[in-house]
Amino acid sequence: MSRTCELTAKAVQTGNNVSHANNKTKRRFLPNLVNVTLISEALNQNVRLRISANALRSVEHRGGLDAFLAKADVKELSQRARLLKKQIAKKLAEQSAA
């Protein structure tokens, strides 16, 4: 399991620890990933995702998983999230046509 957010594609970054004597050693900046269960209102089902805490705040700010995925760029999403986005768009199109 990679250390990447499934919604925002936030991943591990690298940098340096810099001491007082200006010695530099490599380090890794890990994203704050949390396992969450989000509710898709269009699909009427729960979805388990491993996302960053920042993405969780963004999902809540936009009004839920469906609204977040509707505005999200496909290139940033994981394969599972892309599939969810397609399913949600299809379901919403069916509901608006009926």
Side-chain angles (χ1 to χ4, degrees), residues 6-89:
E6 292 186 356
L7 294 181
T8 60
K10 185 176 288 198
V12 177
Q13 293 182 329
T14 58
N16 290 314
N17 279 332
V18 181
S19 71
H20 187 67
N22 207 26
N23 297 331
K24 295 176 183 70
T25 56
K26 285 290 188 185
R27 65 161 293 179
R28 294 172 52 174
F29 295 94
L30 301 177
N32 184 11
L33 297 177
V34 290
N35 293 317
V36 294
T37 303
L38 298 172
I39 300 169
S40 172
E41 295 172 0
L43 300 176
N44 288 331
Q45 67 182 18
N46 296 334
V47 181
R48 294 199 61 192
L49 295 170
R50 189 170 190 224
I51 62 175
S52 64
N54 189 21
L56 183 58
R57 292 185 64 194
S58 298
V59 167
E60 293 297 322
H61 178 74
R62 288 204 181 150
L65 181 64
D66 299 342
F68 180 87
L69 288 175
K71 286 189 173 184
D73 188 15
V74 177
K75 290 179 268 185
E76 291 184 354
L77 299 175
S78 70
Q79 197 64 30
R80 262 185 80 208
R82 288 178 192 177
L83 179 65
L84 277 172
K85 182 174 177 154
K86 281 184 184 178
Q87 289 175 347
I88 290 170

